[in-house]
């Protein structure tokens, strides 16, 4: 033991050191103007996300109100609206696939309750002093039933199922729309002062029940909607960073950056609706992470408002080693620690060239071996995904009606070549979809390298169309879920992170477990249980599962669903996988 | 008469009426769980040699021995070559043809439960299957392949002892019929273990074929189940634990013989005369064996056990997550316990589906009347025993619509090698010693005759074991309190753990079962936490006690021997030769009447029990295992067992006995003295 004199000296040194390190976290004192107020008058910028979201988006399903799948009078699947490239297209093989995969029948419909009945909703439990102070500050808010219902849920199966049946649990009592960071600071202070409960709300795409209001919460619950905080505050072209408000949705961020010749390259499947703040709060992962990285690689700086003050670093630097990185407490906290208000992100110049591609493998085993090799050689394209046979069939069913006879003839030829000439079994083959990005020349070179590796594992190049359609699947899957729910089919996706050597075993066992659990729980028709290896890393991969079944004859389908999903997760853990790779799932 | 659930069908019936050749050449389509076609034998072997696991071990061995990796790899390839099967349908057909001929000659019937085969077929479609038959005869070895071939099911690969391989020609035929060969004493040969386990696991992972192995490890010379060997058990379970397969089905299979082909050798082997080396010439000489009648064989395929279901809540598979799966890893406590329990469970299920012959029941009675018994009495008691074991849930092959006396005489004549009739008396067929031979010689000959008969008693012993333990406990207990009796039962169960195969951690359940069996047949009454033998039940408990008496006596002799020795430690070899001389003397003086104590199996089991009870300490030194006794502990054990001679204490009052209806009462000849006598 050192003497006490020494001890206090050391104590001082330690305190000094701690002060220094903590200095990095001192809030900046800088007044910034609210961009949102200025933007109100700007007619050029159409808002993607209005305050009254229900005016453009479904209150009991996924996405835009005008965009949905339906079976038309001829029994053909059709996608409505004009927002998407798919709008107005017919999908001739979707019906057969749907009926044969799920044992579903177009005659057996399970439509949702038609409209939101505001009178059925319990009036808000208001915190009057909070409301009064809020009003005096001029921060927009709403007590309307429709606004509250819209923000009472994410997109978990049980949440959507309940909405379709017109069942509502505990709702937020009011919604507030801060216009900027300072508004958030004020709101959080007020909530602390008046003992109100705040739930940050970004895109509302959560699949981890993070938006669910605790039914036993006695305090007034305030949903803090960040949608009006949607500005790029500045772009730093020298350091290639952008400082952005956290409420901006992915597609808007990308569009605005593209206008300046940049991109973030962060493209989670939900990017149409999910927000920057949400990505940070849930540790999101993007499709093109191989080039751009996951959110933790992209973030340079975070500003978060907590009940104890604002947390942020005092500099915008690529790396620090003064103790644990405060960002890693924030990322994955799912809104439990505070409200993320502003984020500095890395940006990149827009890529010159983009090319889709696909490879057919005789079986899933060969495909996984190929992806492993690609990861080993660290030459993964922007995105590389391997769909199993069932998912390949699924993707195939989403082929839009072709206009020219020639294309379909060509398709026939391709199929003939692959199945008859190369001897692939259509019930075993699987497809890898690829997306290359960068300089044209480098892309072509890269493409060759990847196809050469694929060839070693029996892979055959299968064209750009197949690749592009594969990616389309991930954007429309949520719309498809709504279609399924119209016909007694419920389903959901979940994902995991797993070491390379366990990928195959995990995929097989989890799919098998789902099938057997469904049977045991009285599901009449074998479920769809399919997976894809959706991301590759040095030490492992991310595997994404789709699981859906026909629930006719079941008394409590959601409960059955949850039991099966629970079993599937148990199986994942037993096979060396993680609870989640990017969906969060802290609530499970 | 088979009163329980299984329906059997004689497969030889069809063979006797139609061509064996067309049977051998019939079309054969294999059923399997995988959509993909099975890989070839060479691909299988290549996969094994190139496996990461083997690679790790080879590197380790190379480091340990200093030999170059290349040499180790060659050694591994050599081991694999010696080991691997070369299953070919053509040889199965060839063998099928021969076996049709042989089986028809040896057996009257081969009865199979077809329902079990249907369940097996179902299981094969769902997951890799492990066939786990009991092992009583060399005939076991191919009968399953023959059956599966007949019923169009996947032909198994079979773990066989390496001596079989040594037989010229036959070894190769067996190999091509799916046998793979394992050395007897692998010991600590790391490389050999690695090749073997990787081989077995690869077969399961690839679902190449069902794996067949004997969980008892050896052919049982006593015709009683042997304590399980866990090496192979671990190997077949691991692919499930590590998630390499979704599930594995374990199928217990019970093969029962009316008469075992190698019966004459059994007694010699357990008396320590080594078994003849397997040679092709030996097999040819054994042809005279072919002229004998061996009665019926029953093969009963049990319900497939899903390892996944068994492991639910018992094994946390996550324990494999933190170490690369290919790295060698010592099984954890929970894994070891699970393998052990599962192996015991399989043995128990094998026992449950054994089909008892009338003869094994006769042998059980005969063993309590070694001096000979009147045929009429034997008949009466055998029939009584039949009802008792049926009550206990056994399967008995007692012909219907045949007079009991005929069943008896048929059994007696089939087993002319064990018993003979002298007028009305039934006696053991004992070879008279040559004139002028030493008295030890006479004892030896007597022992051969008794142990041969004992083997057939052993076929039925598993049905009686647990109720017998309870009966002994009842006779040992000072009072009738349930707790006391339970403690004694638990003690006895531990004591005879290896002798009668009990499932670990099921003492309570087994006790309840034994109580309810005895209660059901009116032997005991349970009132207010007291267990009491009824008046009528006394004959049952006495009979059951007498059935296990030879073992209790044998153990007592062994305890006495160990306590009498002055040495601090001994090897198993020293013990076995010492105990033999010791016992021989006691038998010569007439002090001991149990011949089971001469059985090397019983001797080994007793040693193992003492080790389990911490009355013996086992130490390994210089490749030798030494035992050092804790004489005080052994003495205490002997004391508890010794109390049994005191008469059964607890009886019901006269009034309460009337509530017991139809309790089986041991038939007693009117004018003869009580037939049940304690042997000692």
């Amino acid at each position: 033991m050192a003497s006490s004199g020494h001890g206090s000296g050391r104590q001082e040194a330690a305190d000094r050191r701690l002060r220094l390190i903590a200095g990095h976290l001192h809030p900046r004192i800088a007044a910034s103007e609210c961009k949102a107020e200025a933007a109100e008058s700007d007619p050029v910028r159409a808002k993607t996300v209005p305050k009254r979201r229900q005016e453009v988006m479904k209150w009991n399903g996924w996405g835009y109100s005008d965009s949905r799948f339906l079976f038309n009078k001829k029994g053909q699947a059709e996608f409505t609206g004009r927002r998407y490239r798919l709008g107005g297209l017919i999908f001739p093989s979707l019906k057969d696939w749907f009926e044969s995969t799920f044992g579903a029948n177009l005659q057996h419909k399970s439509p949702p309750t038609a409209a939101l009945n505001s009178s059925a909703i319990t009036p808000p439990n208001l915190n009057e002093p909070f409301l009064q102070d809020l009003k005096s500050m001029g921060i927009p808010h709403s007590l309307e039933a429709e606004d509250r219902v819209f923000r009472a849920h994410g997109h978990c199966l049980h949440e959507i199922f309940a909405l379709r049946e017109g069942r509502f649990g505990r709702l937020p009592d009011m919604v507030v729309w801060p216009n900027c960071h300072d508004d958030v600071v004020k709101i959080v202070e007020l909530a602390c002062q008046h003992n109100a409960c705040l739930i940050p709300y970004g895109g509302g795409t959560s699949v981890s029940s993070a938006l669910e209001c605790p039914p036993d919460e006695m305090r007034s619950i305030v949903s803090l909607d960040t949608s009006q905080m949607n500005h790029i505050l500045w772009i730093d072209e020298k350091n290639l960073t952008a400082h952005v408000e956290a409420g901006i949705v992915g597609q808007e961020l990308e569009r605005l950056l593209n206008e300046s010749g940049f991109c973030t390259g962060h493209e989670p499947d939900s990017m149409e609706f999910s927000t920057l703040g949400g990505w940070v709060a849930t540790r999101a992962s993007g499709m093109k992470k191989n080039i751009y990285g996951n959110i933790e690689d992209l973030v340079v700086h975070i500003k978060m408002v907590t009940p104890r003050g604002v947390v942020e670093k005092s500099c915008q630097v690529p790396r620090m080693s003064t103790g644990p990185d405060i960002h890693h407490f924030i990322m994955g906290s799912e809104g439990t620690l505070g409200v993320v208000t502003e984020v500095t992100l890395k940006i990149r110049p827009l890529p010159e060239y983009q090319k889709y591609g696909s490879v057919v493998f005789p079986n899933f085993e060969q495909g996984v071996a190929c992806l492993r090799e690609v990861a080993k050689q660290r030459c993964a394209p922007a995105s590389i995904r391997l769909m199993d046979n069932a998912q390949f069939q699924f993707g195939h069913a989403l082929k839009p009606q072709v206009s020219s006879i020639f294309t379909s003839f060509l398709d026939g030829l391709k199929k003939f070549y692959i199945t008859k000439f190369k001897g692939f079994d259509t019930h075993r083959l699987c497809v890898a979809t690829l997306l290359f990005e960068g300089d044209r020349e480098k892309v072509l070179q890269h493409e060759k390298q990847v196809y050469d590796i694929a060839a070693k594992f029996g892979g055959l190049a299968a064209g750009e169309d197949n690749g592009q359609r594969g990616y389309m699947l991930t954007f429309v899957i949520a719309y498809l879920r709504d279609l399924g729910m119209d016909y007694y089919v419920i389903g959901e996706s979940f994902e995991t992170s797993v070491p390379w050597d366990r990928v195959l075993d995990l995929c097989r066992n989890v799919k098998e477990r789902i099938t057997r659990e469904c049977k045991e729980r009285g599901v009449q028709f074998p479920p769809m249980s399919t997976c894809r290896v959706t991301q590759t890393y040095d030490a492992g991969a991310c595997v994404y599962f789709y699981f859906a079944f026909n629930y006719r004859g079941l008394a409590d389908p959601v409960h059955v669903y949850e039991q099966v999903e629970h079993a599937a997760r148990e199986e994942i853990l037993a096979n060396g996988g993680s609870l989640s790779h990017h969906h969060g799932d802290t609530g499970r | 008469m088979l009163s329980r659930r299984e329906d059997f069908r004689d497969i030889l019936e069809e063979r006797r009426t139609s061509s064996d050749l067309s049977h051998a050449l019939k079309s054969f389509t294999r059923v399997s769980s995988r959509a993909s076609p099975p890989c070839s034998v060479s691909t299988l072997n290549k996969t094994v040699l190139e496996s990461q696991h083997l690679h790790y071990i080879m590197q380790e061995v190379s480091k340990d021995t200093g030999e170059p990796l290349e040499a180790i790899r060659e050694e591994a390839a050599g081991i694999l070559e010696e080991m691997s099967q070369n299953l070919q349908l053509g040889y199965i057909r060839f063998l099928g043809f021969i076996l049709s001929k042989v089986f028809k000659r040896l057996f009257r019937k081969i009865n199979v439960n077809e329902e079990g085969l249907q369940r097996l077929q179902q299981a094969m479609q769902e997951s890799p299957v492990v066939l786990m038959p009991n092992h009583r005869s060399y005939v076991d070895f191919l009968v399953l392949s023959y059956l599966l071939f007949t019923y169009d099911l996947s032909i198994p690969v079979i773990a066989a002892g390496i001596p079989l391989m040594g037989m010229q020609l036959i070894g190769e035929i067996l190999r091509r019929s799916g046998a793979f060969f394992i050395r007897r004493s692998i010991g600590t040969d790391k490389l050999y273990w690695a090749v073997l386990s990787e081989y077995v696991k690869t077969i399961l992972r690839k679902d190449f074929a069902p794996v067949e192995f004997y969980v008892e490890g050896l052919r049982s010379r006593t015709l009683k189940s042997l304590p399980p060997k866990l090496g192979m058990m671990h190997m077949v379970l691991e692919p499930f634990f590590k998630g390499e397969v979704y599930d594995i089905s374990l199928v217990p299979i019970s093969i029962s013989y009316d008469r075992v082909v190698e019966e004459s050798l059994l007694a010699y082997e357990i008396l320590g005369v080594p078994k003849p080396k397997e040679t092709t010439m030996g097999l040819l000489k054994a042809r005279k064996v072919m002229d004998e009648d061996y009665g019926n064989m029953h093969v009963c395929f049990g319900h497939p056990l899903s390892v996944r279901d068994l492991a639910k809540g018992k094994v946390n598979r996550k324990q494999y997550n933190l170490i690369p799966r290919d790295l060698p890893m010592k099984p954890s406590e929970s894994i070891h316990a699970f393998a052990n329990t599962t192996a015991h469970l399989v043995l128990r299920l094998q026992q449950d589906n054994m089909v008892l012959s009338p003869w094994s029941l006769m042998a059980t009675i005969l063993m309590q009347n070694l001096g000979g018994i009147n045929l009429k009495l034997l008949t009466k008691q055998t029939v009584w025993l039949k009802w008792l074991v049926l009550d206990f849930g056994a399967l008995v092959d007692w012909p219907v619509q045949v007079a009991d006396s005929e069943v008896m005489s048929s059994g007696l004549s089939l087993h002319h090698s064990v018993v003979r009739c002298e007028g009305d008396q039934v006696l053991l067929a004992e070879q008279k010693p040559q004139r002028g031979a030493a008295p030890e010689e006479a004892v030896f000959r007597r022992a051969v005759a008794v142990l041969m008969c004992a083997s057939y008693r052993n076929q039925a012993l598993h049905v009686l074991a647990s109720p017998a333990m309870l009966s002994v406990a009842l006779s040992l207990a000072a009072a009738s309190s349930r707790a006391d009796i339970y403690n004694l039962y638990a003690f006895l169960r531990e004591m005879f753990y290896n002798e009668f195969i009990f499932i670990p951690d099921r003492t309570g359940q087994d006790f309840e079962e034994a109580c309810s069996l005895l209660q059901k047949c009116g032997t005991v009454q349970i009132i207010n936490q007291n267990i009491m033998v009824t008046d009528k039940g006394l004959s049952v408990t006495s009979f059951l006690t007498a059935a296990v008496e030879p073992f209790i006596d044998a153990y007592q002799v062994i305890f006495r021997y160990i306590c009498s020795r002055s040495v601090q430690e001994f090897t198993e070899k020293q013990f076995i030769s010492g105990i033999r001389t010791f016992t021989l003397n006691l038998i010569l003086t007439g002090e001991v009447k149990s011949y089971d104590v001469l059985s090397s199996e019983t001797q080994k089991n007793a040693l193992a029990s003492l080790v389990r009870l911490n009355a013996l300490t086992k130490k390994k030194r210089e490749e030798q295992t030494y035992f050092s006794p804790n004489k005080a502990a052994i003495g205490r054990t002997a004391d508890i067992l010794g109390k049994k001679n005191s008469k059964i204490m607890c009886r019901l009052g006269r009034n309460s006995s009337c509530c017991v209806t139809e309790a089986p009462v041991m038939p007693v000849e009117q004018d003869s003295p009580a037939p049940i006598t304690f042997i000692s």
Side-chain angles (χ1 to χ4, degrees), chain B residues 434-454:
Chain B
Q434 285 160 354
R435 204 172 294 202
E440 287 86 356
E441 175 70 17
V443 173
F444 185 76
R445 285 183 188 278
R446 175 75 176 159
V448 168
V450 174
L451 289 180
M452 215 155 134
C453 186

Side-chain angles (χ1 to χ4, degrees), chain B residues 575-599:
Chain B
F575 165 74
I576 288 194
S577 69
I579 184 78
R580 188 173 298 149
T581 336
F582 183 77
T583 317
L584 222 50
N585 287 329
L586 289 178
I587 291 177
L588 280 173
T589 59
E591 202 177 326
V592 168
K593 296 207 170 63
S594 162
Y595 285 86
D596 282 274
V597 66
L598 283 173
S599 153

Side-chain angles (χ1 to χ4, degrees), chain B residues 71 140 196 217 231 335 357 407 423 464 468 496 631:
Chain B
D140 298 336
L196 174 61
I335 295 288
S357 63
V407 175
L464 308 174
F496 296 106
K631 287 183 184 170

